[in-house]
């Protein structure tokens, strides 16, 4: 899972560059990934992205002893959608930080991770988006503070404490995900949705800049609620797959409700539509996926990418 990463030295004799470079290599799965790197004394930041619009000069801003790096999509500022290829994107966010301080994050929505190094106040701020779409993990010991979008990135640090959190592994096996901010490693935590990590004067703290609020809808007809949810989903798809797009569109069709709804919305948005399912011939998921595509007249665009248990078993350790 691409995203932003960083290594911050907590000791004057520790160079974070080598650690950050090792982390980048561990989360760069393809050589065509776009990247941006910034090194400044005890702070080494970077990002890798699969977004073709991601660019060093758009997503990284450095000015007045401040550095801002963002990786994400479907970005909205004060209610206005900003395309991924907006010029000086990071500069606009840095201007918001200058003008509004930490409250600038309340004006930004979308799917993103964002980090600010403010050398004026010797502080680092790391933000996850409101709903936690983009996973962000963090770790610290006496020498470094690290953050990354994948757990394996921390293996790039030779001093990484690999102590296992057995409770999180147990809940993962039973409930499909660990509880709270826990991970497979005892000292690695997940930054929560709407989360904010601050490192200042050697002390790290995690707070929430956003907490979801819920209001009762007892008097509202179910049909009205469903219509609103459908409209919101349609708007979300439109932000990610622009209406003028006429290129290649790939959809993973799992056979579940989410992928069927997504397929319904994107099938008219690309001239080159490709549908695929990971699975095995004859299983329920494969049959339902293929039948869904057949009903929509798209079976000729569907293919199965077969997952073979023997292959998985042989290569799982890798």
């Amino acid at each position: 899972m691409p995203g932003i990463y960083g290594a911050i030295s907590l000791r004057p004799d520790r160079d974070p560059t080598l650690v950050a470079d090792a982390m980048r290599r561990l989360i760069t799965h393809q050589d065509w990934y776009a990247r941006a790197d910034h090194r400044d004394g005890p702070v080494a930041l970077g990002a890798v992205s699969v977004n073709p619009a991601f660019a060093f000069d758009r997503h990284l801003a450095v000015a007045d002893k401040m550095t801002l790096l963002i990786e994400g999509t479907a970005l909205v500022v004060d209610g206005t959608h900003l395309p991924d290829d907006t010029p000086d994107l990071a500069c606009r966010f840095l201007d918001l930080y200058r003008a509004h301080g930490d409250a600038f994050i309340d004006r930004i929505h979308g799917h993103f991770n964002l980090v600010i190094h403010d050398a004026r106040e010797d502080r680092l701020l790391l933000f996850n988006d409101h709903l936690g779409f983009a996973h962000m993990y963090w770790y610290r010991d006496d020498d470094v503070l690290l953050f990354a979008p994948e757990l394996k990135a921390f293996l790039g640090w030779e001093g990484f404490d690999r102590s296992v959190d057995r409770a999180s592994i147990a809940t993962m096996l039973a409930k499909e995900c660990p509880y709270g901010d826990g991970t497979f490693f005892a000292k690695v935590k997940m930054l929560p949705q709407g989360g904010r990590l601050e490192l200042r004067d050697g002390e790290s703290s995690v707070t929430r800049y956003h907490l979801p609020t819920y209001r009762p809808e007892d008097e509202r007809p179910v049909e009205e609620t469903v219509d609103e949810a459908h409209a919101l989903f349609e708007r979300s798809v439109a932000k990610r797959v622009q209406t003028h797009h006429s290129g290649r569109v790939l959809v993973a069709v799992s056979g579940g409700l989410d992928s069927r709804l997504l397929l319904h919305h994107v099938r008219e948005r690309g001239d080159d539509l490709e549908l695929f399912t990971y699975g095995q011939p004859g299983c329920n998921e494969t049959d339902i996926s293929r039948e869904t595509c057949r009903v929509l007249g798209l079976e000729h665009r569907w293919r199965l990418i077969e997952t073979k248990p023997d292959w998985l078993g042989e290569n799982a350790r890798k």
Side-chain angles (χ1 to χ4, degrees), residues 158-179:
E158 61 182 9
F160 176 55
D161 185 338
R162 303 187 183 200
S163 300
V164 171
D165 185 337
R166 294 180 179 272
S168 289
I169 292 178
T171 53
M172 175 68 183
L173 294 172
K175 303 294 185 181
E176 297 186 355
C177 64
Y179 289 144

Side-chain angles (χ1 to χ4, degrees), residues 57-58 83 85-90 92:
D57 56 348
R58 278 197 293 265
D85 58 357
T86 300
D88 301 323
L89 187 69
R92 296 179 68 164

Side-chain angles (χ1 to χ4, degrees), residues 47-206:
V48 293
S49 179
V50 299
N51 187 342
F54 184 88
F56 182 96
D57 56 348
R58 278 197 293 265
H59 292 79
L60 176 67
V62 181
D64 301 331
K65 296 185 177 181
M66 292 178 289
T67 302
L68 184 146
L69 176 64
I70 184 168
E71 199 276 334
T73 189
L75 297 169
V76 174
V77 175
D78 293 335
T80 300
H81 173 233
L82 296 182
D84 295 349
D85 58 357
T86 300
D88 301 323
L89 187 69
C91 291
R92 296 179 68 164
F93 293 138
L94 190 57
D95 288 341
L96 283 176
Y97 174 69
R98 281 198 191 98
H100 304 283
D102 292 5
F104 87 105
I105 198 66
D106 297 327
R107 309 168 75 97
I108 302 173
H109 294 268
H111 175 166
F112 65 87
N113 288 137
L114 185 152
V115 61
I116 295 175
H117 176 223
D118 189 342
R120 304 171 309 172
E121 302 181 18
D122 191 22
R123 67 195 295 240
L124 181 127
L125 296 168
L126 177 65
F127 295 95
N128 201 355
D129 62 46
H130 289 67
L131 297 179
F133 283 122
H135 288 178
M136 179 53 58
Y137 303 97
W138 68 281
Y139 163 92
R140 74 159 294 171
D141 55 27
D142 292 337
D143 293 336
V144 295
L145 182 142
L146 311 175
F147 59 87
E150 293 188 59
L151 289 173
K152 66 181 179 183
F154 302 117
L155 300 175
W157 164 229
E158 61 182 9
F160 176 55
D161 185 338
R162 303 187 183 200
S163 300
V164 171
D165 185 337
R166 294 180 179 272
S168 289
I169 292 178
T171 53
M172 175 68 183
L173 294 172
K175 303 294 185 181
E176 297 186 355
C177 64
Y179 289 144
D181 63 353
T183 72
F184 295 159
F185 295 108
K187 294 195 68 173
V188 177
K189 302 300 179 185
M190 176 180 281
L191 191 63
Q193 60 184 35
R196 170 183 177 272
L197 168 67
E198 179 178 18
L199 177 67
R200 188 168 194 168
D201 298 328
E203 298 296 323
S204 55
S205 62
V206 174

